[in-house]
Amino acid sequence: QVHLVESGGGLVQPGGSLLLSCASSVNIFEFNSMGWYRQAPGKQRDLVASITIGGTTSYADSVKGRFTISRDGEQKMLYLQMTELKPEDTAVYYCNAKIVRNDYWGQGTQVTVSS
């Protein structure tokens, strides 16, 4: 069974930084890809960043240069380092993992960027 648990969200000032973590119950290299999504109230869940099993990363235009996705296979962890945070980054952030056509999701962690 696959379980993903996010942590690291919180309240941060504009321009600040947060590190989000996603702990996986299984070897993360069993996933074809992993990623971070976010969902603000009244909006759909959007892909923020992803990384393939081979290490190829991709970012939404809105976060390029500010967010970095990374992983630690030994610790079975996925990370999202967020810097230069803006109020529009406020959302619930979700960890996602894919195995062929199967999707797995964490419970989400709230990120609020406000002064």
Side-chain angles (χ1 to χ4, degrees):
Q1 63 276 17
V2 176
H3 301 286
L4 303 173
V5 180
E6 303 97 333
S7 62
L11 175 64
V12 64
Q13 298 180 32
S17 300
L18 281 176
L19 176 65
L20 303 185
S21 301
C22 173
S24 173
S25 63
V26 301
N27 183 354
I28 64 173
F29 291 103
E30 294 183 6
F31 300 127
N32 297 113
S33 67
M34 299 188 74
W36 289 94
Y37 289 70
R38 67 186 182 188
Q39 186 169 25
K43 297 185 178 180
Q44 71 176 26
R45 189 172 299 185
D46 294 325
L47 178 64
V48 175
S50 65
I51 184 167
T52 69
I53 190 171
T56 300
T57 59
S58 183
Y59 298 91
D61 288 342
S62 59
V63 307
K64 285 182 179 178
R66 300 189 297 120
F67 291 9
T68 302
I69 188 170
S70 62
R71 63 193 177 189
D72 185 326
E74 181 177 348
Q75 297 297 318
K76 297 187 291 185
M77 296 286 286
L78 178 75
Y79 301 101
L80 184 67
Q81 177 64 63
M82 306 186 296
T83 64
E84 299 296 327
L85 284 161
K86 305 174 180 180
E88 50 263 46
D89 295 319
T90 296
V92 177
Y93 284 71
Y94 297 90
C95 179
N96 168 263
K98 301 181 185 295
I99 303 178
V100 290
R101 294 185 179 182
N102 294 325
D103 279 275
Y104 303 92
W105 296 91
Q107 83 288 350
T109 185
Q110 176 71 49
V111 172
T112 301
V113 184
S114 176
S115 60

